[in-house]
Amino acid sequence: MNSKTLKVTGAVVFSCFVMILIVIYTPKPEPRHSKRRFPSKIVDPEYLNLANQALSKTNKANRTALQKLRQFTRGEKIDFSSLTAANTAAIDALAEADKSIKLCNEELQKLKKEEPSPTILIEANIKLIASLNEISETMKTLHIEIQHLKEENAQPLLPPIKKVIDVSTKVTDATQKGTKAIDATIKAYRKYYQLDRL
């Protein structure tokens, strides 16, 4: 082998070696889905659980009210303490859920500058807060009407009974809206964190 052939062979081998190094150390493109930027701070979804519990307690209080109303219209002397307790528990649970959602939105507002825009979740939470407030107001009205009914415990009168039925219907309607608001918030939460694409 002459020196010219050795030089060409050496150059080819060296070129191959350099190409191997380039291939090894060149950053690989990441898969498309891993390029998504996930929020570094995950918002605790516990507030959704609290909202759901509040709706459950509201439904329980409303069922108890209707049950007591049936007993009342049959002329039975009834104990209102369990109904008062159920109403109070529902109102307290609604207030706790409301506070929790507001705290969540405060956290999301802080993340606005550093994370993908949490606007979709903030807006869903605001709608959920409005829905829970509507439920809370109707529950408070139901509680007041039950107290009026309690005063008439000895003698059932149609106007107080009708008022309780009307308010109970409003509670049912508001609770249905609340359920839809929770569903919408869960969808917004999933969309924000892109859980449906994992």
Side-chain angles (χ1 to χ4, degrees):
M1 234 184 240
N2 61 28
S3 63
K4 192 173 183 181
T5 308
L6 281 174
K7 283 180 183 177
V8 171
T9 306
V12 169
V13 170
F14 181 73
S15 297
C16 290
F17 179 71
V18 169
M19 288 177 71
I20 290 169
L21 287 176
I22 289 170
V23 169
I24 290 172
Y25 290 104
T26 300
K28 307 288 184 291
E30 294 179 12
R32 201 170 186 191
H33 64 83
S34 64
K35 281 190 173 182
R36 290 189 315 241
R37 196 169 153 223
F38 289 94
S40 59
K41 185 171 182 182
I42 302 293
V43 176
D44 188 355
E46 177 60 20
Y47 72 93
L48 292 169
N49 188 38
L50 290 173
N52 198 40
Q53 287 175 12
L55 288 188
S56 178
K57 288 179 180 179
T58 300
N59 283 328
K60 181 182 176 184
N62 202 21
R63 282 193 307 270
T64 305
L66 292 173
Q67 178 189 5
K68 297 290 183 187
L69 190 62
R70 280 192 294 273
Q71 293 173 339
F72 186 72
T73 54
R74 289 194 299 256
E76 297 177 26
K77 185 100 172 168
I78 59 174
D79 178 16
F80 283 90
S81 58
S82 62
L83 179 54
T84 301
N87 284 352
T88 303
I91 292 166
D92 290 347
L94 288 161
E96 185 182 2
D98 177 75
K99 182 180 176 183
S100 179
I101 300 165
K102 285 176 180 170
L103 288 173
C104 173
N105 269 6
E106 285 175 19
E107 289 296 314
L108 288 167
Q109 290 289 353
K110 290 175 190 173
L111 296 176
K112 260 187 161 181
K113 292 180 182 175
E114 57 193 69
E115 300 290 1
S117 176
T119 305
I120 186 172
L121 189 51
I122 292 171
E123 287 175 358
N125 285 344
I126 289 170
K127 288 176 184 174
L128 181 56
I129 289 168
S131 183
L132 292 181
N133 285 339
E134 182 184 350
I135 296 167
S136 183
E137 289 306 311
T138 55
M139 279 304 299
K140 287 173 184 173
T141 305
L142 180 63
H143 189 67
I144 291 166
E145 293 305 329
I146 291 294
Q147 296 309 310
H148 292 158
L149 197 63
K150 186 177 177 182
E151 292 166 9
E152 307 290 337
N153 202 5
Q155 182 182 0
L157 298 172
L158 190 59
I161 291 170
K162 189 176 182 310
K163 281 185 181 178
V164 171
I165 292 170
D166 289 345
V167 177
S168 176
T169 303
K170 287 178 183 175
V171 170
T172 302
D173 293 343
T175 306
Q176 286 173 351
K177 288 180 194 171
T179 302
K180 288 178 183 173
I182 288 177
D183 289 344
T185 307
I186 291 169
K187 284 177 186 170
Y189 187 91
R190 285 185 180 149
K191 190 170 182 181
Y192 178 55
Y193 290 109
Q194 300 179 358
L195 298 180
D196 54 332
R197 295 185 193 173
L198 292 179

